[in-house]
Amino acid sequence: MTILVTGATGFVGQHVVEHLLATDSIRVIATARTEPSAGKTAGLSKVEFVPFDISTDWGDTDLFTYFGKPDAVIHLAWPGLPDYKSLAHIDTYWLQHYRFLTNLITNGLTNLTVTGTCLEYGLQSGCLSEDAPTQPTTAYGLAKDSLRKALELFIKNRTVSFKWVRLFYMFGKGQNPKSLLAQVEAAALRNEPVFNMSKGEQLRDYLPVTDVAKILIQTSLQQRITGIVNCCSGQPISVRALVERFMRENRYTMTLNLGYYPYPDYEPLAFWGDHRKLLNLLSNHD
Amino acid sequence: MTILVTGATGFVGQHVVEHLLATDSIRVIATARTEPSAGKTAGLSKVEFVPFDISTDWGDTDLFTYFGKPDAVIHLAWPGLPDYKSLAHIDTYWLQHYRFLTNLITNGLTNLTVTGTCLEYGLQSGCLSEDAPTQPTTAYGLAKDSLRKALELFIKNRTVSFKWVRLFYMFGKGQNPKSLLAQVEAAALRNEPVFNMSKGEQLRDYLPVTDVAKILIQTSLQQRITGIVNCCSGQPISVRALVERFMRENRYTMTLNLGYYPYPDYEPLAFWGDHRKLLNLLSNHD
């Protein structure tokens, strides 16, 4: 079978491509705005790469045929991150992605996996399950939430296996240099004695990006799976404990300057994903 | 003061213009896609009418100046109704209206009233209050819900009195000929012996459109009022009782053929609005 991966040069995309290459009998087509740079993971050089910019006017092009009629699509592409508050998510990106995905479906795609975000839940605290009403408070969260709801209406009366994989927090190779653990690593490599961070008491739900990649692939491969799936550990961890664990594993010895930064205003202090649906999914195979 | 009314030739718009004319000291500017036809209410002929089509490309036009820098806007315009399921609400209309309204705000509008819909609540039953999470299941409900949420994000850090008036059901002069009471009236005037309808046991929340117009105006005039307001009676009435009351008032003597039509699939059997916020608003004056 053939799987198209969009956003293939991104943090998650590179790992998805890498893991797809390790499976037998799957042909991978990767796409992103521009050809992968030399610094990206080796996986991308081994697959067919079809550059495509979703923000261009593709007119009446049948994108499903353009991408070689893939059996499934894992749609990771989304621009403008990590600026979650930019209104461009709402007034520009979401419609481009809605049109891109509905073009694929209209022209024959029957298996679509799209990544959502825990920011769809907004400021709700505690253990969040997929059936909780979404209440996004960021432009990015609202754009993703609207995209999902619009696609759900679009696929009514169509035979499409549509999965919405709601990402929580991730870490791993290729992560944004501005993300927390990347900054810890960079500071340690610069031999800085102190690392400035928030109080670190906020509880979050983290997965290694390699696990996220495997979950996305397994979700995509199961035609029977539909609807929202939290992509999460189900285990809240304080950000301080996460950093301390990472430092122990890497034998970094900096002092944490806790409380240097305030908490972000768009996240509750404690939330994590209900992972029961995910566990059920992972224990089933087509 | 000057109030711009969009969708002024529509069912609600005509009544809003009519009632605004009855108030002193308010200059009314009315707009709609095309000049009002002769059959519309007399009010429209007494106000300044500025035709404008929101679906056109207005480029960089400052629409706030174009419409004479109104002190307040009552935005009633919305195309494509009553086809609540058309995906055009999502992929076309909502962005046009978002751009239209944010253009006005960017260029100086500080008082905006927009009509929402009880379809934002989706399939939730019972007495629905403004703070219930929305769960639209129709394209129209989703488009309005997304528009409200996007505007809420847009006006953050701006000084705008933004009111979202969620309409429930209405009846009155000028209503859509396909609406229930208009059909009852038409059948009676044709001297039909029998009127086909649904079982009529569904509970709904109805207001005369004249009351809706007054509520919209009073909401618009109060700069302090912001947020969502249910525009409703707070009193559920069965559709059968509504029809029977209307027939009594008009001395129609048809037999009701109950159960001829099925219930619509996009509405719960019983829901009505919590009108406490509205009552509070109506009892306060700036």
Side-chain angles (χ1 to χ4, degrees):
Chain A
M1 69 178 293
T2 305
I3 295 187
L4 170 68
V5 180
T6 74
T9 57
F11 174 40
V12 179
Q14 293 174 59
H15 289 277
V16 168
V17 169
E18 202 76 40
H19 281 81
L20 279 172
L21 281 172
T23 61
D24 286 337
S25 74
I26 297 179
R27 179 178 160 228
V28 182
I29 301 173
T31 184
R33 270 169 292 190
T34 49
E35 295 276 353
S37 58
K40 299 288 179 177
T41 58
L44 278 169
S45 62
K46 295 178 195 152
V47 301
E48 189 178 341
F49 188 87
V50 181
F52 186 79
D53 187 343
I54 290 175
S55 72
T56 55
D57 179 9
W58 60 75
D60 295 327
T61 308
D62 167 352
L63 296 178
F64 184 62
T65 301
Y66 177 82
F67 286 112
K69 303 191 175 181
D71 299 292
V73 170
I74 300 177
H75 183 63
L76 308 170
W78 194 274
L81 295 178
D83 183 358
Y84 303 118
K85 295 184 176 184
S86 165
L87 294 170
H89 293 296
I90 292 172
D91 63 29
T92 306
Y93 308 147
W94 106 255
L95 190 58
Q96 291 169 351
H97 285 251
Y98 176 80
R99 288 185 174 152
F100 177 77
L101 296 171
T102 54
N103 181 303
L104 291 172
I105 294 167
T106 300
N107 291 301
L109 179 67
T110 58
N111 184 339
L112 173 63
T113 300
V114 182
T115 45
T117 166
C118 59
L119 293 179
E120 292 164 53
Y121 290 117
L123 296 176
Q124 299 178 75
S125 293
C127 180
L128 303 171
S129 77
E130 289 89 345
D131 54 5
T134 49
Q135 301 184 58
T137 61
T138 54
Y140 174 59
L142 176 57
K144 282 281 188 174
D145 189 44
S146 298
L147 179 63
R148 177 180 54 79
K149 289 173 174 169
L151 289 173
E152 282 171 357
L153 289 178
F154 185 83
I155 63 164
K156 269 190 186 172
N157 308 318
R158 293 174 192 263
T159 310
V160 181
S161 172
F162 171 49
K163 310 93 158 19
W164 185 266
V165 180
R166 212 169 254 162
L167 302 183
F168 281 66
Y169 294 81
M170 296 167 282
F171 57 86
K173 189 179 162 195
Q175 66 195 331
N176 190 311
K178 288 183 180 169
S179 67
L180 181 64
L181 295 189
Q183 291 195 358
V184 172
E185 184 176 31
L189 296 180
R190 286 194 304 266
N191 287 314
E192 294 190 6
V194 172
F195 182 75
N196 294 326
M197 59 178 283
S198 69
K199 270 192 180 169
E201 288 166 10
Q202 66 275 46
L203 296 180
R204 293 287 176 272
D205 188 319
Y206 276 89
L207 278 180
V209 67
T210 46
D211 286 0
V212 171
K214 289 175 199 163
I215 288 166
L216 282 163
I217 293 167
Q218 196 155 344
T219 307
S220 174
L221 292 178
Q222 294 189 50
Q223 185 82 21
R224 282 180 297 108
I225 296 287
T226 59
I228 305 165
V229 180
N230 279 339
C231 182
C232 63
S233 74
Q235 309 298 328
I237 182 171
S238 78
V239 167
R240 177 180 178 170
L242 179 85
V243 170
E244 288 175 342
R245 186 179 72 189
F246 180 70
M247 288 176 60
R248 266 198 314 279
E249 287 168 0
N250 289 281
R251 304 191 182 184
Y252 299 150
T253 54
M254 295 179 292
T255 302
L256 296 181
N257 183 15
L258 298 164
Y260 184 85
Y261 295 114
Y263 293 126
D265 59 2
Y266 54 82
E267 291 174 333
L269 197 59
F271 73 100
W272 60 96
D274 179 337
H275 66 155
R276 286 175 297 175
K277 187 168 176 185
L278 176 64
L279 290 183
N280 191 40
L281 180 157
L282 295 177
S283 62
N284 282 294
H285 297 272
D286 270 355
Chain B
M1 72 177 293
T2 305
I3 295 187
L4 170 68
V5 180
T6 75
T9 57
F11 174 39
V12 179
Q14 293 175 58
H15 289 276
V16 167
V17 169
E18 201 77 37
H19 281 82
L20 279 172
L21 281 172
T23 62
D24 287 338
S25 75
I26 296 179
R27 179 177 161 231
V28 182
I29 300 172
T31 186
R33 269 168 292 189
T34 50
E35 294 277 354
S37 58
K40 297 289 178 179
T41 60
L44 278 170
S45 62
K46 296 178 194 152
V47 300
E48 188 177 340
F49 188 88
V50 182
F52 186 79
D53 186 344
I54 290 175
S55 72
T56 55
D57 180 10
W58 59 75
D60 295 328
T61 307
D62 167 353
L63 296 177
F64 184 61
T65 301
Y66 176 83
F67 287 112
K69 301 190 176 181
D71 299 291
V73 170
I74 299 177
H75 182 64
L76 308 171
W78 194 274
L81 295 176
D83 182 358
Y84 303 118
K85 295 185 177 183
S86 164
L87 294 169
H89 293 295
I90 292 172
D91 63 29
T92 306
Y93 308 147
W94 105 256
L95 190 58
Q96 291 170 349
H97 285 250
Y98 176 80
R99 287 183 175 156
F100 177 77
L101 297 171
T102 55
N103 181 304
L104 291 172
I105 294 167
T106 301
N107 290 301
L109 178 68
T110 59
N111 184 338
L112 174 63
T113 301
V114 182
T115 45
T117 168
C118 59
L119 292 180
E120 293 164 54
Y121 291 116
L123 296 177
Q124 299 178 75
S125 293
C127 180
L128 303 172
S129 78
E130 290 89 345
D131 54 7
T134 50
Q135 301 185 57
T137 61
T138 54
Y140 174 59
L142 176 57
K144 283 280 188 175
D145 189 45
S146 298
L147 178 63
R148 176 180 54 78
K149 289 173 174 169
L151 289 172
E152 283 171 356
L153 289 177
F154 185 83
I155 63 164
K156 268 190 186 172
N157 308 317
R158 295 175 191 259
T159 310
V160 181
S161 172
F162 171 49
K163 309 98 164 7
W164 185 266
V165 180
R166 211 168 255 163
L167 303 183
F168 281 66
Y169 294 81
M170 296 168 282
F171 57 86
K173 191 180 160 192
Q175 66 196 329
N176 189 313
K178 288 184 181 170
S179 68
L180 181 63
L181 296 189
Q183 291 197 0
V184 172
E185 185 177 30
L189 296 179
R190 286 195 305 267
N191 287 314
E192 294 189 5
V194 172
F195 182 74
N196 294 326
M197 58 178 283
S198 69
K199 270 191 179 171
E201 289 167 8
Q202 66 274 48
L203 295 181
R204 294 287 176 271
D205 188 319
Y206 276 89
L207 278 179
V209 67
T210 48
D211 286 0
V212 171
K214 288 176 199 163
I215 288 165
L216 282 163
I217 292 168
Q218 196 154 342
T219 307
S220 174
L221 292 177
Q222 295 189 50
Q223 186 81 23
R224 282 180 297 107
I225 295 287
T226 58
I228 306 165
V229 180
N230 279 340
C231 182
C232 63
S233 73
Q235 310 299 326
I237 182 171
S238 77
V239 168
R240 177 181 178 169
L242 178 85
V243 169
E244 289 175 341
R245 186 178 73 189
F246 180 70
M247 288 177 61
R248 268 198 312 280
E249 286 168 359
N250 289 282
R251 304 194 182 181
Y252 298 150
T253 53
M254 294 178 294
T255 302
L256 297 181
N257 183 15
L258 299 164
Y260 184 84
Y261 295 115
Y263 293 127
D265 60 2
Y266 54 82
E267 292 175 333
L269 197 59
F271 72 100
W272 59 96
D274 180 338
H275 66 156
R276 287 175 297 176
K277 187 169 177 184
L278 176 64
L279 291 182
N280 191 40
L281 180 158
L282 296 178
S283 64
N284 283 294
H285 296 273
D286 270 356

